[in-house]
Structures are given as C-alpha cells and as structure tokens.
C-alpha cells in the first residue's frame, strides 16, 4: 500500500507501479478492470500507461508535490486519485506524494483522453436535449421527485461523475438525499446545474426504465458517463439477443429512450429462456453487475435432495414418487396437518422443520457455514381489507416475520458460544429486510409517504467481501454470500389474496472465510429455493380455497435461538447422522 512508503525513499520502476496497483485494487480484492472504472478517463489512461514501466518514480512526501509530478491523494469518498501536473487536489484529500512520469507518457495520455472526452461530449448531447425537453414541457420537477423516491428504494447508490460524488450508501455518505442534492436541483433552473447534475438526472432515469433502480448499482464505485450508460445498454441488448437466439439488428443508432425500452422488454423474455440472470456483487465498491448463466428451465432439483427426502419419509410419512414438486406439496400438506392437529406452533412447528430440512440441505450441498430462509410468520396476515390491497402488508411489524437460520452440522464447531449470537443477529437482520421488502411490489400510490421500503430482490446473486461497509455483516461474520430469492422471475409471482409478490422468501447462504462461492453453488441454492417456492404456494392455495388450515410458523425467535433450537430439529439430527448430509443428486 502507498501509505507504508510515507517515510521512505523514492520508489522507482516496477516497485512504484506495483505499489500503485496494490492501492488501486486493495491488494487484489478488487479486479483491475473495476478499479480502473472508478477513475476519470485521464487517471485510468495514465495508470494503464505506467504499469510495469521502469522509468516511473513515486515520491512519498507530505508537502505539495514539485512541478512536473502527478499528485497522488486518498479520500474516503473518492479513494485513490491522481491529479494532472499543476492541478490542485481537493483540500480535504490526504496527500500521499507524487508520481514522476516521463513527459512523453503524459503527452500520450492527454491525446487519448481527448478522444474519450470527444465521444462523451457527443453522447451527452442527446441527454442534454432530453433534459431541456422535460424542462420545457413542465415535467422536470415530477421526474426529480420520482428520482429521489427511486434512490430510496435501492440499498446503495455510489456513482462518480468526474470528481463529483452521487451517493446514498451504508458507508455513511449520502449526497443525494440527506445532503439535499436532489432537493436543491428542484429549487434551481437547469441552467444553474453542474454538468454532472444534468447527466445524472437523465441517465438515472434511463437506467430505471431499463430495469428499476437496481440498475443504479451496476455503476456503483464507477464513473457514470453518457458513453458508459449507452455502452452498458448496448451490451445488455447484445447479451439478451444472444440468450434469445435473436438477430440483434442495429441498436447503436437508436435514440436513447428507445434503446432503454427495448432492453427492458428483452429482459423479461430472457427470464423465460435457458439463460438465468444473476448478479455478482463486490462489497468493497457496492457494485452489482448482472451476468447470464446457461441454466435451462425448469431449474428445479432433478431429484429430491436426500436430506429432504429422508425427512419426508421418516417424519412426514411421504414416500418420494419421483415428481419433486408433487412430493414437496405432499410433505407441506402433511406438515400443515400436523401443525393444525397440534393446535398451536409452540416452540417449533412441522412446517418450520420442513423448511429447516430444505435450508440444511442447501447448506450441506454448498459447504456453507450457515444458511437461512425467511418469510412472513402468519400467511393469513397478508389478507387486506379487499383483494389485492396493501393494508394487510402495511400493518405488519418486524416481529411478524421469521428467519430459519441454521448452522452447518460441523463447520461452525469452532465458533463455540458465538454460534448463537451469529445466527440470531443474522436472523434479526433478515426479519427486518423481509419487512423492508414487503411493500415493494405495490404501486407507489398505495404506500404511505413515510413508510420506507426497498424494491425486493428478484434475481440470484453472489457476493464477495460482504463484510465491508455493513455493520450487520461484520457482526455475523458474513464474507461470502449467495441469495436465491423467490418467487423466481421465471415463474409467476407468488400470489396470495389477490396480489403477486417477488422476493417474499428465499435461500441465503454464508461463508465466513474463503473460498468464495461459485456459480455451481448458486445453482444448488436456486434449486433449493424452488422447494421453498412450492412450500409457500401450496400453503397459499390451501389457505385461499379453505381446504387447509395454516397456523403461524412457530419457533425461530430469540428464545428458540438462545436455547439452540436448531439442535431439536429432526432434520438437523438426520444431517448430523451422516449419509443424509450428502450433497443432493
């Protein structure tokens, strides 16, 4: 890291550029491609030119660098920054020293930067025209109000336009709403806005139309530019057409808003194709990039996972028939009947045990340290005053949700007395998240202004370095994660009492240490989430048509975790016993 050189002699050649590379990538934890995308065009090109050169020198000094040096600074918001010779660094930035670069390299970087900036100016022209049209037609204030609301519906926004930061993050920086940037824009004419403000407003709207505000996260920790957004949309268009085996046509010449709408339409078609959308997350930068995985439908388990099958045979009296969903329905009906006969959930419930069997199977099959599934405790609580109304959901509190969070039968032996706090803290966070997601599939007009919520997750994701910037993840030692939400986008929404939901249940898996999860692990999580999906759909159908009594799911509260309730689950005993813990076929 550069900071370790602050009191040393000048560093030259590969040592100097290696130090720069280590600082940019956080010692390899951020891919170089991603690290460069955070820099301005001039900075990025400079780094690419100097890496590996032997005639570059880094001089660490607390004093302002001498003429001809490239100042190097670090700040909490912008991270590492490089400044052109003669350019004044931000006063609040920590000065790390200067980079002495050959003059011919600086010339080459200036020439290449000019090409990039000319392309960006051309792409910004269309955005400027759109903004002027919105202002002329009296639409701008409404669009700004909607943009401010969209920003609140996503976990993290952290975009860079040149040296300007547009943020709302868990790291404590919030220039968009808490510091009032969007509110100030509503009070001033467009002519008084910074160029970066004008670009942000237009391009954020375009991203939302292309796939809701989670699209903002594609640019987290990166430069947000007109060229970058258009290239992003063209890449998505090409990938979606390839997934659908369609001719891509000539999208490059399409007007921006037309390209945006086309990408949105193709996205829904892709969700019913052989390619599965998922997101890869880097917790250090907040970036969440969409990827496609060749994973043909139906994406259910090919056979019932052995641990779930053994629990069904031994404890629910269900002999597998070979039809996985039919067998899971039979197990769900048997468990619901046992709970109804018991007259109350008490410490636990047969439905909770069945869900626990699915969760444990997903944990063992992916070699996770622990895993979980969360949802509403009492399904009947979703009933509103009229079919499809939001009042039932809006009346729910955090305690109306539960999280079945279970440890691997052996992998957490080393956590000792910390096991219970780790699991309970994770469960509480998921109960809060579930409450936070619950209204996310209703029209905005149906949700009170002061009721905060997020758009629920819709596609699976894999995350690395998730413990950074997130106190809850630190407390529960969350480093590597998988999330497989339901109802899955290749199925209809989970519909109960006249309303369809996404992100209302899931499978989540955690590793506290490496190695990171792989896409093969994510496939297992998705297949297990299909079983969770069938469980909740079976309960919803029986509840709505009056053929099934569905008591609230019992257990999974503080007392349950503090008494190590997972050890009383019969599927846990099966998993500890040996063969049932084998990975599913």
């Amino acid at each position: 890291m550069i900071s370790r050189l602050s009191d040393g002699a000048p560093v030259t050649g590969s040592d100097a550029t290696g130090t720069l590379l280590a600082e940019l990538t956080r010692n390899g934890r951020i891919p170089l491609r991603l690290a460069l995308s955070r820099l301005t065009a001039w900075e990025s090109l400079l780094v690419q030119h100097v890496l590996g050169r032997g005639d570059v020198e880094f001089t660490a000094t607390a004093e302002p660098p001498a003429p001809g040096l490239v100042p190097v600074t670090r700040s909490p918001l912008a991270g590492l920054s490089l400044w052109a010779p003669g350019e004044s660094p931000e006063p609040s930035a920590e000065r790390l020293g200067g980079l002495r670069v050959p003059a011919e390299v600086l010339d080459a970087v200036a020439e290449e930067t000019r090409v990039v900036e000319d392309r960006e100016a051309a792409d910004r022209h269309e955005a400027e025209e759109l903004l002027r049209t919105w202002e002329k037609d009296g639409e701008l204030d409404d669009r700004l109000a909607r943009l401010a609301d969209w920003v609140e519906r996503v976990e993290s926004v952290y975009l860079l336009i040149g040296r300007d930061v547009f943020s709302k993050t868990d790291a404590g920086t919030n220039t968009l709403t808490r510091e009032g940037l969007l509110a100030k824009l509503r009070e001033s004419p467009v002519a008084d806005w910074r160029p970066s403000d004008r670009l942000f407003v237009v391009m954020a709207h375009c991203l939302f139309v292309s796939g809701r505000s989670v699209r903002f996260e594609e640019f987290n920790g990166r430069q947000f530019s007109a060229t970058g957004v258009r290239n992003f949309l063209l890449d998505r268009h090409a990938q979606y057409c390839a997934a659908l085996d369609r001719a891509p046509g000539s999208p490059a010449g399409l007007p921006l808003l037309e390209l945006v709408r086309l990408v949105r339409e193709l996205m829904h078609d892709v969700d019913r194709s052989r390619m599965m959308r998922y997101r890869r997350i880097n917790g250090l930068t907040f970036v969440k990039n969409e990827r496609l995985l060749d994973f043909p439908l139906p994406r259910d388990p090919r056979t019932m996972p052995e641990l779930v099958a053994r629990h069904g045979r031994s404890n629910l009296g269900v002999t597998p028939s070979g039809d996985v969903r039919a067998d899971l329905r039979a197990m769900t009906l048997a468990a619901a009947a046992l709970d109804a006969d018991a007259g109350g959930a008490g410490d636990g419930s047969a439905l909770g045990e069945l869900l626990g069997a699915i969760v444990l199977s997903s944990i063992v099959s992916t070699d996770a340290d622990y895993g979980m599934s969360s949802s509403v405790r009492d399904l009947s609580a979703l009933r509103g005053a009229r079919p499809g109304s939001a009042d039932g959901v809006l009346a729910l509190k955090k305690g109306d949700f539960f999280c079945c969070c279970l440890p691997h039968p052996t992998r957490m032996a080393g956590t000792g007395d910390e096991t219970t706090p780790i699991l309970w803290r994770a469960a509480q966070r998921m109960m809060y998240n579930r409450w936070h997601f619950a209204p996310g599939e209703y029209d905005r007009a149906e949700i009170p202004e002061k009721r905060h919520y997020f758009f629920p997750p819709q596609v699976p994701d894999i995350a690395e370095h998730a413990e950074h910037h997130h106190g809850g993840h630190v407390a529960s030692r969350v480093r590597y994660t998988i999330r497989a939400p339901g109802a899955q986008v290749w199925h209809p929404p989970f519909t109960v009492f006249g309303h369809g939901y996404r992100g209302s249940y899931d499978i989540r898996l955690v590793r506290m240490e490496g190695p990171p999860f792989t896409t093969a692990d994510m496939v297992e999580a998705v297949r297990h989430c299909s079983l969770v999906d069938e469980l909740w759909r079976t309960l919803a159908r029986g509840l709505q048509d009056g053929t099934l009594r569905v008591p609230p799911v019992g257990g999974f509260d503080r007392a349950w975790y503090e008494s190590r309730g997972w050890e009383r689950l019969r599927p846990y005993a099966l998993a500890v016993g040996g063969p049932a813990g084998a990975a599913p076929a």
Side-chain angles (χ1 to χ4, degrees), residues 242 338 493:
L338 288 173

Side-chain angles (χ1 to χ4, degrees), residues 151 154-159 166-169 176 200 216 220:
V151 165
V154 68
E155 183 178 11
S156 299
V157 180
Y158 176 50
L159 311 179
F166 296 77
S167 64
K168 191 218 75 174
T169 72
L176 289 169
F200 174 78
F216 301 166
N220 278 347

Side-chain angles (χ1 to χ4, degrees), residues 16 62 118 128 131 161 171 188 226 314 316 322 357 362 368 395 405 441 476 492 535 552 561 568 570-571 576 583:
D118 288 347
E128 294 280 354
L131 191 61
I161 302 179
S188 60
S314 302
L316 297 174
S362 70
C405 186
E441 291 296 310
S476 293
L535 182 152
Y561 283 101
R568 298 191 294 275
R570 290 175 292 179
V576 172

Side-chain angles (χ1 to χ4, degrees), residues 287-343:
V287 69
K288 301 182 180 182
N289 291 137
E290 183 183 280
R291 300 285 185 257
L292 296 180
L293 180 69
D294 191 354
F295 185 13
L297 295 168
R299 302 181 185 132
D300 293 350
R302 297 187 182 95
T303 60
M304 185 67 75
E306 178 61 20
L307 179 57
V308 182
R310 284 186 62 185
H311 175 66
R313 285 194 304 268
S314 302
N315 302 318
L316 297 174
V318 175
T319 301
S321 67
D323 184 330
V324 173
R325 283 198 174 248
D327 291 343
L328 205 287
R329 282 196 295 274
M331 293 181 196
T332 302
L333 293 173
L338 288 173
D339 286 344
D341 290 343

Side-chain angles (χ1 to χ4, degrees), residues 108-156:
V109 171
E111 293 165 2
E112 294 176 26
T113 300
R114 191 173 302 115
V115 174
V116 174
E117 290 176 344
D118 288 347
R119 166 69 192 278
E120 173 67 9
D123 287 333
R124 283 198 187 197
H125 180 75
E126 184 178 11
E128 294 280 354
E129 289 291 324
L130 280 173
L131 191 61
R132 281 192 287 270
T133 299
W134 294 344
E135 185 179 38
K136 175 176 172 290
D137 294 345
E139 302 176 14
L140 187 54
D141 187 69
D142 179 64
R143 288 182 181 271
L144 286 170
R146 280 185 284 159
L147 178 55
D149 190 70
W150 296 339
V151 165
E152 291 291 353
R153 307 297 154 235
V154 68
E155 183 178 11
S156 299

Side-chain angles (χ1 to χ4, degrees), residues 521-583:
D521 297 321
M522 181 177 64
V523 164
E524 283 298 323
V526 168
R527 286 176 170 159
H528 280 80
C529 188
S530 296
L531 302 179
V532 178
D533 180 75
E534 190 59 46
L535 182 152
W536 286 108
R537 290 183 191 272
T538 300
L539 295 177
R541 284 192 294 268
L543 182 64
Q544 291 176 114
D545 63 23
T547 61
L548 190 63
R549 182 184 167 202
V550 184
V553 175
F556 309 121
D557 53 12
R558 179 187 288 273
W560 188 89
Y561 283 101
E562 290 180 346
S563 65
R564 299 177 69 89
W566 63 87
E567 294 178 344
R568 298 191 294 275
L569 294 177
R570 290 175 292 179
Y572 189 80
L574 292 174
V576 172

